[in-house]
Amino acid sequence: MMNQSNQMKIYPCGYSSDAALIMHLMQSHPRMLLIDTRHTPFSRITAWNEPTLRATYGERYRWAGKFLGNQNHTTGGPISLVDADTGIRGLVRYLQEGHPLILLCGCREYGMCHRSAIVALLQKTLPMVQVIMPDALPQLECVQCISIRQPWAWILTHPEVVQACGIPPKEVENREWFTRYRGPLYLHAGSQVDDSLFDTAGQLDHWYWQRCFGARGGQLARQMPQTSAEYSRKAIVGKAELVNVVKAHNSPWFVGRYGLALEQIQPFGPVLNYPGAQKLFAIPKMVIEQ
């Protein structure tokens, strides 16, 4: 029989304030479901759009906005859930199946968000459910991370291979945006590879590296993993120190509007699977330590 006190837990979270906590909970609890209660599952932050969440969490992501979304979310009118009875029955079923739930929205203020109405209805239907608010959990000490497509993440974290081919190591990461952050920065391999560096069969394009660095580039290409499938993805693969953000750099790797100048670059081993996000994103320090 299911231990209800241990299993019937819900975590109402807003990604604008609880992003790191949401990722930590989903990483730490394999049976946790991410219940998206937004009427429209869209965000200007790509990591919180429905397609990205589905790609990251698969069947553990459930969009419930067609039942539990607030119909007045764009008008500022009173909270009006689309089909509360159906939506609450779905939550009860998930809980009875032994799934703790994150009730997701983008709102920062819980008291002003329709999550509070959902929780009130759920407690009325299922009084034994435990509601765990983010501020009731231990504060997460976080570290900063950046997601980088492959094979660029591999190039960054293998400076000794690059140097052995007579090429300066890649110590600058090109970006179109600026950040004031300086300090430790974990390097995350994104879910996608840079398709322009592989052919349609997923084989590494040696000509690209030869065009950039001549014979030395060809030597480097031969030292790299040869297929896109061999590169780590959705994982923390390295660590560096972000010392500056520049608009000019003498590195042959600099081509961007801004360059994130990195020092003390080192691979992170073993590779740690973790979902990514855009720009710099926070991950709980305990994830790294564990």
Side-chain angles (χ1 to χ4, degrees):
M1 179 179 293
M2 178 187 64
N3 187 332
Q4 291 181 336
S5 65
N6 288 332
Q7 299 296 332
M8 291 197 172
K9 295 180 180 180
I10 59 172
Y11 301 78
C13 294
Y15 62 76
S16 57
S17 57
D18 306 317
L21 174 62
I22 294 167
M23 290 190 288
H24 173 61
L25 290 172
M26 292 298 290
Q27 184 81 5
S28 303
H29 302 281
R31 290 189 60 78
M32 183 81 72
L33 298 182
L34 183 60
I35 308 298
D36 191 343
T37 69
R38 295 173 294 174
H39 188 273
T40 304
F42 170 80
S43 172
R44 287 175 292 181
I45 306 173
T46 304
W48 299 102
N49 282 337
E50 178 185 12
T52 307
L53 292 171
R54 286 193 186 279
T56 302
Y57 298 114
E59 289 298 315
R60 297 175 63 205
Y61 169 81
R62 311 287 171 91
W63 176 59
K66 60 184 176 181
F67 303 121
L68 296 175
N70 178 15
Q71 299 177 96
N72 294 328
H73 70 106
T74 60
T75 67
I79 292 172
S80 175
L81 303 182
V82 179
D83 183 353
D85 289 343
T86 301
I88 294 299
R89 283 199 300 271
L91 298 184
V92 169
R93 185 177 72 253
Y94 292 148
L95 289 165
Q96 290 177 338
E97 290 173 352
H99 297 285
L101 309 177
I102 295 174
L103 301 184
L104 176 72
C105 190
C107 298
R108 183 178 295 271
E109 296 296 332
Y110 172 76
M112 302 295 291
C113 178
H114 74 294
R115 284 172 294 155
S116 60
I118 296 170
V119 168
L121 289 172
L122 183 58
Q123 287 180 308
K124 185 176 180 180
T125 305
L126 199 66
M128 71 282 292
V129 70
Q130 297 181 59
V131 182
I132 303 174
M133 303 303 296
D135 57 9
L137 294 169
Q139 291 298 306
L140 294 175
E141 184 180 356
C142 293
V143 294
Q144 293 297 308
C145 192
I146 186 171
S147 194
I148 304 164
R149 285 187 296 175
Q150 293 284 25
W152 301 111
W154 190 95
I155 291 290
L156 271 172
T157 55
H158 291 79
E160 72 289 347
V161 177
V162 177
Q163 282 184 299
C165 297
I167 301 171
K170 190 177 189 297
E171 296 180 331
V172 59
E173 177 61 21
N174 299 293
R175 285 296 185 268
E176 290 296 310
W177 43 265
F178 177 85
T179 178
R180 296 188 182 279
Y181 174 76
R182 305 291 185 271
L185 184 64
Y186 284 86
L187 309 176
H188 178 272
S191 61
Q192 304 295 322
V193 299
D194 188 337
D195 289 333
S196 67
L197 302 182
F198 298 89
D199 65 20
T200 55
Q203 293 291 321
L204 186 69
D205 180 4
H206 285 220
W207 285 107
Y208 171 85
W209 306 100
Q210 291 179 31
R211 288 193 299 270
C212 292
F213 300 108
R216 294 172 298 169
Q219 182 182 350
L220 173 60
R222 290 191 293 273
Q223 298 299 316
M224 296 169 61
Q226 296 300 297
T227 66
S228 59
E230 295 177 72
Y231 290 88
S232 299
R233 303 194 204 180
K234 293 200 294 187
I236 298 169
V237 296
K239 182 183 178 183
E241 191 78 12
L242 174 55
V243 297
N244 202 3
V245 180
V246 299
K247 289 187 175 181
H249 200 288
N250 60 9
S251 170
W253 299 99
F254 178 68
V255 296
R257 181 182 179 188
Y258 294 105
L260 278 59
L262 305 174
E263 294 182 358
Q264 303 176 43
I265 302 171
Q266 54 186 307
F268 183 91
V271 168
L272 174 64
N273 294 328
Y274 204 82
Q278 285 194 323
K279 296 189 175 180
L280 299 190
F281 60 96
I283 59 175
K285 188 176 181 181
M286 67 176 64
V287 172
I288 300 293
E289 293 172 343
Q290 290 172 355

